[in-house]
Amino acid sequence: MKRTLIVGLGGIGGYLAEPLARYLDSSGLCRELVLADGDVYTASNNDRQSMRLEELGVNKAIAHAKRLSRSFPRISIRSCPEYVSERSIDGLVVEESVIFLCVDNHATRKLFSDHCRRLDDVLLISAGNDLTDGNVQVYWKVNGIQRTAPLDKHHDEIRFPTDRNPAELTCEELASLPGGGQIIFTNLTAASLALNAFYAAMTSKLSYGEVYFDVLTGRSNALVRR
Amino acid sequence: MARIICGTNELDDARWDGKTIAEIRRECKSFLNIPDGARVLLNDDEFVGTEDRALGSDDELEFVKASGEKGYSPSPRFLIPSREEPNRPEPDVPARPIWIWTTPDNDSGGIAIAA
């Protein structure tokens, strides 16, 4: 693994960052962690996201990079305080990257899906949730061979996104984006399942390409994706 | 027996053997919470064909549930109040008393205050 990225440090990415950094630090699997997010912490984030009050107004990627650097000095932790776009993805996502994609829009998922298809060795883990349910998708390619399906292969909402990459929006458009209701426990479940998929891939035991979960029924369902 | 999946919802029942995909989509839509226009996978592969194909007893049929985004969900939203719906009517449920126990100074017992 050359590089590990977390894209989106909101409800899901903000909770998987520390356990991931801790695991990378102790295992020595990868010594480079890049955090990318164009958003800043606002007061309304405090009810659900992993923020500290002194981080109000601070870019989320920068805030997490500072925290993690203090705790895990053996890893090189860098922040990319902007939304990933077609312009920036080439420099960020390189061969032998592991990407935790924790965004809330299909346009960015498509961007990453298309880019990762062009690589030979990549592990892309995409997590998303609605109010009380969600899913984690895994795209895994080793030596040019796809072990699981690309994110958009069976998901038309990703293949033909009707939303837009935040990198393309003006500040006014970003501010007017509707926020859905979310629950911290759903975010935590998505983060945990994303980390589970990562561990399964690292130990060559990954047998699924997607897992759905529902926090109200307690059910999860791992499915093959070819 | 045929297996039918949508997200975390599954059905394993011989009654669906021989039913067409279209029939299953219609009859199981509510029970399995199948989204409108959900893509169909048959035995883990993209299904190419018409939905009048009948299901065999060894078949696995999946209606692909969309990836989560922004918290919007068909799940009921009564669990938390929505900040985005200022004109949402108040639920027709009588207010329940909130019992607050205070510690008396003279240890004679707790005091319940109904709010």
Side-chain angles (χ1 to χ4, degrees):
Chain A
M1 275 169 56
K2 273 207 186 116
R3 178 181 292 171
T4 306
L5 289 99
I6 303 176
V7 181
L9 278 302
I12 299 174
Y15 286 118
L16 66 79
E18 194 196 323
L20 176 66
R22 191 175 296 278
Y23 181 77
L24 294 178
D25 181 67
S26 63
S27 66
L29 257 181
C30 182
R31 291 293 180 204
E32 186 184 358
L33 177 60
V34 177
L35 312 178
D37 199 323
D39 203 4
V40 301
Y41 277 121
T42 62
S44 65
N45 293 147
N46 196 36
D47 63 353
R48 183 172 53 84
Q49 296 188 23
S50 169
M51 69 170 276
R52 297 170 186 176
L53 289 177
E54 62 267 24
E55 290 169 341
L56 212 57
V58 176
N59 174 274
K60 292 178 184 179
I62 291 175
H64 279 274
K66 276 189 183 160
R67 278 195 237 166
L68 296 176
S69 298
R70 281 195 285 268
S71 300
F72 309 108
R74 289 185 293 187
I75 315 175
S76 160
I77 301 178
R78 295 190 286 139
S79 58
C80 172
E82 59 179 39
Y83 295 111
V84 181
S85 65
E86 284 187 21
R87 263 198 342 265
S88 57
I89 194 168
D90 282 331
L92 272 175
V93 181
V94 298
E95 289 285 1
E96 297 180 53
S97 290
V98 174
I99 308 109
F100 290 85
L101 187 61
C102 309
V103 301
D104 60 4
N105 66 90
H106 299 315
T108 306
R109 289 174 181 150
K110 176 155 176 65
L111 172 69
F112 275 80
S113 182
D114 289 347
H115 180 82
C116 289
R117 277 189 201 236
R118 295 191 283 268
L119 301 176
D120 287 327
D121 286 274
V122 68
L123 175 63
L124 171 61
I125 301 171
S126 175
N129 63 259
D130 289 318
L131 189 65
T132 56
D133 57 13
N135 68 321
V136 171
Q137 292 176 265
V138 186
Y139 176 56
W140 192 21
K141 205 169 173 190
V142 180
N143 294 329
I145 298 171
Q146 288 184 161
R147 296 211 181 169
T148 58
L151 301 190
D152 62 344
K153 184 173 181 190
H154 302 309
H155 282 265
D156 287 339
E157 74 282 4
I158 298 176
R159 193 188 294 194
F160 308 110
T162 56
D163 51 21
R164 288 163 66 194
N165 187 323
E168 299 169 11
L169 301 178
T170 64
C171 293
E172 277 165 358
E173 287 170 325
L174 281 168
S176 66
L177 278 177
Q182 293 199 52
I183 294 175
I184 185 173
F185 311 119
T186 316
N187 290 157
L188 281 165
T189 306
S192 182
L193 287 171
L195 291 167
N196 292 355
F198 166 69
Y199 181 71
M202 289 300 104
T203 52
S204 300
K205 291 187 169 65
L206 183 71
S207 58
Y208 56 90
E210 183 162 8
V211 55
Y212 289 98
F213 68 90
D214 187 314
V215 301
L216 288 185
T217 61
R219 284 196 224 122
S220 66
N221 199 3
L223 299 164
V224 171
R225 290 291 186 240
R226 293 196 285 254
Chain B
M1 60 187 88
R3 189 173 168 224
I4 304 161
I5 302 165
C6 183
T8 58
N9 299 316
E10 278 190 33
L11 279 176
D12 274 313
D13 197 324
R15 93 169 93 153
W16 303 108
D17 295 355
K19 289 261 188 182
T20 67
I21 295 174
E23 285 171 329
I24 293 169
R25 186 192 282 273
R26 194 173 50 246
E27 292 174 35
C28 297
K29 181 178 166 60
S30 169
F31 183 78
L32 291 181
N33 204 13
I34 299 172
D36 290 334
R39 181 184 273 266
V40 168
L41 298 184
L42 188 63
N43 303 321
D44 299 329
D45 281 327
E46 205 167 332
F47 175 69
V48 180
T50 58
E51 291 200 357
D52 56 7
R53 192 244 200 233
L55 220 58
S57 59
D58 291 332
D59 283 334
E60 181 182 282
L61 177 68
E62 182 187 349
F63 296 96
V64 180
K65 192 171 182 304
S67 296
E69 60 164 342
K70 288 192 175 60
Y72 291 118
S73 165
S75 305
R77 297 181 65 182
F78 58 82
L79 290 174
I80 57 172
S82 168
R83 294 191 187 123
E84 312 307 323
E85 300 170 28
N87 297 321
R88 191 162 170 264
E90 290 296 312
D92 188 21
V93 174
R96 291 191 297 171
I98 299 168
W99 294 91
I100 304 168
W101 290 90
T102 61
T103 304
D105 291 332
N106 58 5
D107 284 333
S108 62
I111 303 169
I113 302 169

